[in-house]
Amino acid sequence: MKPSFGRDLTTGSIPRHIVAFSIPMLVGSFLQTAYSFVNAIWVGRFLGTEALAAVTVSFPVVFVLFSIGMGLTMATSILVSQSYGAKRMDELRRVVDSSTLLIYALGLVLTLLGEWLAPTILTLMATPPEIHAESVSYLRIFLLSMPLGFGLFLTRSLLQGVGDSKTPLYFQAASLLLTTVLDPILIFGWMGLPKLGLNGTAWATVVSQLLALTALIIYLRKKDVPVAPRMPRLGHLGPTTLKTLRIGVPAAVQQSLVSIGMVFVTGIVNSFGEVATAAFGAASRIDQIAFMPAMTFGMAVSTLAGQNLGAGRYDRVQEIFKWGCLFSGGITLLISLVAVSFPEALLRIFISDPAVIAPGVSYLHIVGTTYVLFALIFVSNGIINGAGRTFVTTVFSLVSLWVVRVPVAYWLSHRMNSVTGVWLAMALSFAVSLAVSMAYYFSGRWRTPLVKKAPEGPTAPNPGEVFGHETGEA
């Protein structure tokens, strides 16, 4: 049976679309988090607190660089969804070509910069001396996966923009399964391979992502999927590339602001010692679960909003917002209750040192109560980003992180002489971010789409016909 590569989200039940579109992405997020948990268990329990701290200080750097690619692919998803909803298939192909060129070139440049600057960045983050060398080694190996990760981000965004969230899940699952198998083999030197310790987890990621990206592109090309990445046709990319950059650069800056904010916050946490760093790392694993539904429903809301705005269906966007808040907020609230009620039990999954668990419990008691605010932020921002107003949400991030979180974290933690000040600043920043995002959403200033609907008639092909199948419910 020929697989479906497109889903028209401009007609039919909105809650059904949100659920059907979100479930594969949510499963993928759970798989990613499950692997992250397994990896944290290998590192924290078998390699020790220093290894876990090395991963913790490296992660913000990785996230800063990867977030730039994620920002540009956000532009890809927005333009693809609006082009698909507007039935502009010529514009859709130009977006694919433009994004392919931009993303892979950016991945190579950032990898080279990261390899060169890794020691300096970790020093500026006040990385404890006893884990500095191990952190640099781990980070440099992990950064080799960046162009591959960018390629996977791109392909996933292209498919999700046309309503296909299932195909990326299959290849993501295979990649994570392979990484999970490779992790202990390379960490402990099983099957005659060298014992690489912490670096083994980084090499496992590089190998699995290389195989996953190669297999996914071959599969899409073999199925002749119109959004399959290919060698770009450079002659027609000018205006589309500029439009992609106009949306993608603010989105990349927004993602980077969040990530750089994490670097600064981690640096503040590092100043309180290795125990505080390890506690932050362990508690952040719980954050991953709590944020998962919010981020997933946020992507679903963005894609639905993009297609419906492209199709001129403004009446459906308000309903998308309502159902997004109900789904995302409701699920996240349940997770928040568990995190706040049973923090010690959750933290003991990753670390057994009582000295580390105490500040981790404090973190979950404070930040865990604000998880639902984060969920609602992603819904309103999803609508705004789906309309292509990424510059606006970038300003929101600027206010939340650089006016509230970072300066308050620094001031309050030093005034209290405790890392608890950092936890309080994070909770406050979520509240401020929600307030400004909701204010802009209800102002309605985001409504104009970037891609105009194609005229009715023979010049406007049905997206399902272009993709070689009937559109409809999955």
Side-chain angles (χ1 to χ4, degrees), residues 354-403:
V356 175
I357 288 175
V361 168
S362 172
Y363 178 97
L364 292 178
H365 278 159
I366 295 170
V367 179
T369 59
T370 63
Y371 285 160
V372 70
L373 304 183
F374 186 88
L376 298 178
I377 291 166
F378 261 74
V379 174
S380 53
N381 279 0
I383 298 285
I384 298 165
N385 284 329
R389 303 298 185 268
T390 53
F391 178 77
V392 174
T393 53
T394 300
V395 174
F396 299 164
S397 295
L398 179 65
V399 171
S400 174
L401 286 164
W402 298 103
V403 176

Side-chain angles (χ1 to χ4, degrees), residues 135-285:
S135 300
V136 170
S137 178
Y138 171 83
L139 179 58
R140 279 181 160 162
I141 296 169
F142 196 94
L143 288 176
L144 296 176
S145 70
M146 191 182 313
L148 309 172
F150 278 22
L152 290 170
F153 293 155
L154 170 65
T155 310
R156 182 181 64 187
S157 295
L158 292 169
L159 292 169
Q160 288 176 355
V162 297
D164 177 17
S165 58
K166 294 179 181 178
T167 301
L169 171 63
Y170 304 142
F171 288 87
Q172 180 186 13
S175 173
L176 292 173
L177 178 61
L178 178 59
T179 310
T180 302
V181 172
L182 287 176
D183 262 347
I185 293 175
L186 296 178
I187 288 173
F188 303 113
W190 295 348
M191 301 176 64
L193 293 173
K195 182 178 180 181
L196 300 177
L198 179 61
N199 289 344
T201 67
W203 281 116
T205 299
V206 173
V207 172
S208 64
Q209 290 201 350
L210 174 61
L211 295 177
L213 178 61
T214 302
L216 178 55
I217 292 176
I218 290 173
Y219 174 79
L220 296 179
R221 294 292 297 276
K222 184 177 180 181
K223 295 295 182 180
D224 198 27
V225 179
V227 293
R230 66 183 184 189
M231 187 63 66
R233 296 171 296 172
L234 302 179
H236 70 296
L237 295 186
T240 303
T241 301
L242 291 176
K243 186 185 291 185
T244 303
L245 288 172
R246 191 167 66 247
I247 303 171
V249 169
V253 170
Q254 177 186 348
Q255 296 281 352
S256 299
L257 285 173
V258 174
S259 306
I260 295 170
M262 285 182 61
V263 172
F264 274 80
V265 169
T266 303
I268 297 170
V269 173
N270 288 345
S271 68
F272 288 92
E274 180 183 313
V275 168
T277 301
F280 187 45
S284 295
R285 303 291 178 178

